[in-house]
Amino acid sequence: MEEVKIFSLEADLTENASKPMCEGVITGATPINHTIKQGCTLELPPCGAYHIMVLIAGKVTFHTDGKDYVWDERVTFVPALDKDFSITAETNAQLLEIRWEMIESDYALIEEYKTVFPYQMSYAQSIQYRDRNKSDKTISRIMLEQRNIPRFAMGSVESYGPDFVKSHDHPMLDQFFVSFPENDMFLLIDYEPYRMMGNEITHIPLGANHGVDVTEKKHLHYMWIDFLIDDTSMKRLDTSHIPTGVMRDFTDEQKGLK
């Protein structure tokens, strides 16, 4: 099994920086942590890859296809593959980009999915789901469903301790974990614990048993970013991510604040 490495994302929002992370770990995928100073603009021209953006902090205007989209909350935003794209920071901002390169067979899937771009999904309004590896307390969200962009899906897991995600494996899904700034948890890889704090990223070794523990009064909050390897990947996500049909949030009492 590959060595487990946890990398820190750049969290200084007063600097313009674009920091690639975990390059070459998953073929065709490059996570990039962007920080943009207030008033500055980041240009991201078409490059044969999707620019899958998550606004982590700050207020920005996304510019694409001659239109502007202003967001001041966590959001997933994806411009069309062939359109110019730029981001202007209205305040100091941090964004995570997953740059996901297309392969020839993907273009038939693009036609099949008929996704309307730019794709925009407020984090607060993301569909919530349940799966068998998580407790009833946990809130799981689908940020980008598996039939929007070929071979890709993204979501999140949130809870407060004490809680856990049961150890499990999925050799048909390659995966990054990225922690939101408030996260403080133990990531279990083949039952070995690794402390994962906020603003960090790691690759889950393909096929490894992995789970999560969070202790009392600590906040578990991370994104899973999935890359689908074969046809069984879609079946796995379809059967394990079941929408709840309700929208929950944590009360102050559940957070341990009362």
Side-chain angles (χ1 to χ4, degrees):
M1 189 186 76
E2 71 181 73
E3 181 184 358
V4 176
K5 297 179 180 178
I6 298 177
F7 300 94
S8 295
L9 280 65
E10 180 59 59
D12 183 358
L13 307 190
T14 64
E15 297 292 334
N16 289 323
S18 294
K19 182 181 180 182
M21 315 287 294
C22 303
E23 293 180 274
V25 174
I26 297 176
T27 301
T30 305
I32 305 171
N33 185 74
H34 298 289
T35 53
I36 314 172
K37 291 195 301 183
Q38 183 177 6
C40 295
T41 297
L42 174 66
E43 301 281 349
L44 294 167
C47 62
Y50 278 107
H51 300 290
I52 302 164
M53 312 298 301
V54 179
L55 177 62
I56 304 295
K59 178 180 180 180
V60 301
T61 300
F62 296 110
H63 315 276
T64 187
D65 199 20
K67 297 180 181 178
D68 295 341
Y69 304 85
V70 180
W71 284 94
D72 61 357
E73 60 179 288
R74 285 181 182 167
V75 65
T76 303
F77 189 96
V78 189
L81 192 64
D82 58 348
K83 300 297 183 183
D84 287 334
F85 178 49
S86 63
I87 307 165
T88 298
E90 309 299 339
T91 66
N92 293 342
Q94 178 190 6
L95 302 100
L96 175 73
E97 174 186 2
I98 304 298
R99 194 165 296 178
W100 182 222
E101 298 174 10
M102 294 297 93
I103 59 176
E104 187 60 35
S105 59
D106 288 340
Y107 291 92
L109 292 174
I110 291 170
E111 288 296 317
E112 177 185 335
Y113 294 164
K114 300 187 184 306
T115 304
V116 176
F117 291 101
Y119 174 92
Q120 304 177 80
M121 177 56 66
S122 160
Y123 187 72
Q125 296 302 313
S126 295
I127 292 171
Q128 297 186 11
Y129 72 91
R130 286 276 298 118
D131 76 33
R132 58 184 176 273
N133 297 313
K134 302 177 179 70
S135 74
D136 290 340
K137 182 168 75 172
T138 306
I139 297 175
S140 299
R141 297 174 174 90
I142 301 172
M143 301 164 64
L144 189 56
E145 190 265 346
Q146 58 266 26
R147 289 181 179 82
N148 284 297
I149 291 173
R151 301 177 295 119
F152 186 89
M154 182 169 66
S156 71
V157 181
E158 183 180 17
S159 192
Y160 285 83
D163 203 1
F164 63 92
V165 177
K166 289 191 294 188
S167 286
H168 60 286
D169 68 351
H170 38 61
M172 76 294 291
L173 293 168
D174 218 347
Q175 190 173 65
F176 292 123
F177 274 15
V178 181
S179 59
F180 285 112
E182 60 273 16
N183 181 76
D184 185 353
M185 69 186 191
F186 285 95
L187 175 62
L188 305 176
I189 303 293
D190 287 335
Y191 308 102
E192 185 74 22
Y194 298 85
R195 185 77 174 271
M196 192 170 188
M197 303 296 291
N199 266 323
E200 293 184 334
I201 182 171
T202 192
H203 176 239
I204 305 299
L206 186 60
N209 273 293
H210 59 284
V212 174
D213 277 341
V214 59
T215 59
E216 190 170 1
K217 297 186 178 179
K218 299 296 184 181
H219 194 171
L220 177 162
H221 204 186
Y222 67 91
M223 291 180 278
W224 51 262
I225 302 171
D226 283 358
F227 302 87
L228 286 61
I229 291 176
D230 56 32
D231 291 342
T232 62
S233 305
M234 191 72 77
K235 183 178 179 181
R236 169 65 182 250
L237 292 173
D238 286 344
T239 57
S240 64
H241 293 179
I242 307 302
T244 63
V246 299
M247 301 296 284
R248 296 173 48 226
D249 202 354
F250 286 105
T251 65
D252 286 347
E253 183 176 5
Q254 288 172 310
K255 295 175 185 178
L257 300 179
K258 285 187 177 180

Short mmCIF file of all heavy atoms in Angstrom, two decimals, residues 13-14 26 34 77 91 122 125 140 143 166 183 188 195 199 210-211 225 233:
data_model
loop_
_atom_site.label_atom_id
_atom_site.label_comp_id
_atom_site.label_asym_id
_atom_site.label_seq_id
_atom_site.Cartn_x
_atom_site.Cartn_y
_atom_site.Cartn_z
N LEU A 13 -5.12 34.06 3.04
CA LEU A 13 -5.96 34.65 2.00
C LEU A 13 -5.48 36.02 1.56
O LEU A 13 -6.08 36.63 0.68
CB LEU A 13 -7.41 34.75 2.51
CG LEU A 13 -8.05 33.47 3.05
CD1 LEU A 13 -9.53 33.68 3.27
CD2 LEU A 13 -7.81 32.29 2.14
N THR A 14 -4.39 36.52 2.13
CA THR A 14 -3.88 37.84 1.76
C THR A 14 -2.87 37.75 0.61
O THR A 14 -2.30 38.76 0.22
CB THR A 14 -3.21 38.53 2.96
OG1 THR A 14 -2.06 37.78 3.37
CG2 THR A 14 -4.18 38.64 4.12
N ILE A 26 -3.73 10.56 -8.92
CA ILE A 26 -4.86 10.02 -9.69
C ILE A 26 -4.71 10.56 -11.11
O ILE A 26 -4.70 11.78 -11.32
CB ILE A 26 -6.20 10.43 -9.08
CG1 ILE A 26 -6.35 9.84 -7.67
CG2 ILE A 26 -7.36 9.98 -9.96
CD1 ILE A 26 -7.62 10.27 -6.94
N HIS A 34 -6.51 27.60 -4.48
CA HIS A 34 -6.35 28.98 -4.93
C HIS A 34 -6.67 29.94 -3.78
O HIS A 34 -7.71 29.79 -3.11
CB HIS A 34 -7.31 29.31 -6.08
CG HIS A 34 -7.12 28.50 -7.32
ND1 HIS A 34 -6.03 28.64 -8.14
CD2 HIS A 34 -7.89 27.53 -7.87
CE1 HIS A 34 -6.14 27.82 -9.17
NE2 HIS A 34 -7.26 27.12 -9.03
N PHE A 77 -19.11 25.22 -8.22
CA PHE A 77 -19.33 25.94 -9.48
C PHE A 77 -18.44 25.30 -10.55
O PHE A 77 -17.24 25.14 -10.33
CB PHE A 77 -18.98 27.42 -9.32
CG PHE A 77 -19.36 28.28 -10.50
CD1 PHE A 77 -20.56 28.98 -10.50
CD2 PHE A 77 -18.54 28.39 -11.61
CE1 PHE A 77 -20.93 29.78 -11.58
CE2 PHE A 77 -18.89 29.18 -12.69
CZ PHE A 77 -20.09 29.88 -12.68
N THR A 91 -13.93 39.78 -1.81
CA THR A 91 -13.19 39.83 -0.55
C THR A 91 -12.04 38.83 -0.72
O THR A 91 -12.01 38.06 -1.69
CB THR A 91 -14.05 39.42 0.66
OG1 THR A 91 -14.39 38.03 0.52
CG2 THR A 91 -15.31 40.25 0.75
N SER A 122 -25.35 25.51 -4.28
CA SER A 122 -25.08 26.02 -2.94
C SER A 122 -24.85 24.85 -2.01
O SER A 122 -25.60 23.86 -2.01
CB SER A 122 -26.28 26.85 -2.47
OG SER A 122 -26.28 26.98 -1.06
N GLN A 125 -27.76 24.00 0.18
CA GLN A 125 -28.91 23.40 -0.49
C GLN A 125 -28.58 22.05 -1.14
O GLN A 125 -29.44 21.47 -1.82
CB GLN A 125 -29.45 24.36 -1.56
CG GLN A 125 -29.98 25.66 -0.99
CD GLN A 125 -31.09 25.46 0.01
OE1 GLN A 125 -32.02 24.69 -0.23
NE2 GLN A 125 -31.01 26.12 1.16
N SER A 140 -24.70 13.94 5.47
CA SER A 140 -23.92 13.75 4.25
C SER A 140 -24.59 14.50 3.11
O SER A 140 -25.83 14.50 3.01
CB SER A 140 -23.81 12.26 3.90
OG SER A 140 -23.16 11.55 4.94
N MET A 143 -22.60 17.11 -3.42
CA MET A 143 -22.25 18.41 -4.00
C MET A 143 -22.24 18.38 -5.52
O MET A 143 -22.55 19.38 -6.17
CB MET A 143 -20.88 18.85 -3.47
CG MET A 143 -20.83 18.97 -1.95
SD MET A 143 -19.15 19.04 -1.30
CE MET A 143 -18.56 20.57 -2.01
N LYS A 166 -17.81 4.11 9.62
CA LYS A 166 -17.29 2.75 9.68
C LYS A 166 -16.24 2.51 8.60
O LYS A 166 -16.38 3.00 7.46
CB LYS A 166 -18.42 1.74 9.53
CG LYS A 166 -19.35 1.66 10.71
CD LYS A 166 -20.29 0.46 10.61
CE LYS A 166 -21.26 0.59 9.44
NZ LYS A 166 -22.28 -0.48 9.45
N ASN A 183 -12.49 21.35 10.43
CA ASN A 183 -12.40 19.91 10.68
C ASN A 183 -11.32 19.55 11.71
O ASN A 183 -10.24 20.14 11.74
CB ASN A 183 -12.09 19.19 9.37
CG ASN A 183 -12.00 17.69 9.53
OD1 ASN A 183 -13.02 17.01 9.65
ND2 ASN A 183 -10.79 17.16 9.55
N LEU A 188 -8.83 6.86 9.59
CA LEU A 188 -8.31 5.51 9.79
C LEU A 188 -8.03 4.87 8.44
O LEU A 188 -8.95 4.73 7.62
CB LEU A 188 -9.33 4.67 10.56
CG LEU A 188 -9.81 5.24 11.91
CD1 LEU A 188 -10.88 4.34 12.51
CD2 LEU A 188 -8.64 5.38 12.87
N ARG A 195 -4.18 11.86 12.29
CA ARG A 195 -4.90 13.10 12.65
C ARG A 195 -5.04 13.96 11.41
O ARG A 195 -4.07 14.26 10.71
CB ARG A 195 -4.11 13.86 13.72
CG ARG A 195 -4.83 15.11 14.27
CD ARG A 195 -5.90 14.73 15.25
NE ARG A 195 -6.52 15.85 15.90
CZ ARG A 195 -6.08 16.40 17.04
NH1 ARG A 195 -4.98 15.93 17.64
NH2 ARG A 195 -6.73 17.41 17.59
N ASN A 199 -8.24 22.32 6.50
CA ASN A 199 -7.45 22.74 5.34
C ASN A 199 -6.35 21.75 5.00
O ASN A 199 -5.18 22.12 4.83
CB ASN A 199 -6.86 24.14 5.57
CG ASN A 199 -7.75 25.23 5.00
OD1 ASN A 199 -8.36 25.06 3.95
ND2 ASN A 199 -7.84 26.35 5.71
N HIS A 210 -10.89 2.28 4.97
CA HIS A 210 -10.76 3.62 5.54
C HIS A 210 -12.04 3.99 6.27
O HIS A 210 -13.14 3.58 5.90
CB HIS A 210 -10.42 4.66 4.47
CG HIS A 210 -11.44 4.74 3.37
ND1 HIS A 210 -11.53 3.80 2.37
CD2 HIS A 210 -12.41 5.65 3.12
CE1 HIS A 210 -12.51 4.11 1.54
NE2 HIS A 210 -13.07 5.24 1.98
N GLY A 211 -11.87 4.74 7.34
CA GLY A 211 -12.98 5.23 8.13
C GLY A 211 -12.56 6.48 8.86
O GLY A 211 -11.46 7.00 8.66
N ILE A 225 -13.99 13.18 -2.74
CA ILE A 225 -13.94 13.49 -4.16
C ILE A 225 -13.63 12.20 -4.88
O ILE A 225 -12.53 11.64 -4.75
CB ILE A 225 -12.88 14.58 -4.45
CG1 ILE A 225 -13.21 15.84 -3.64
CG2 ILE A 225 -12.82 14.89 -5.93
CD1 ILE A 225 -12.14 16.90 -3.67
N SER A 233 -18.54 1.37 -10.43
CA SER A 233 -18.48 2.59 -9.64
C SER A 233 -19.84 3.27 -9.56
O SER A 233 -20.27 3.71 -8.49
CB SER A 233 -17.46 3.56 -10.24
OG SER A 233 -16.20 2.98 -10.39
#
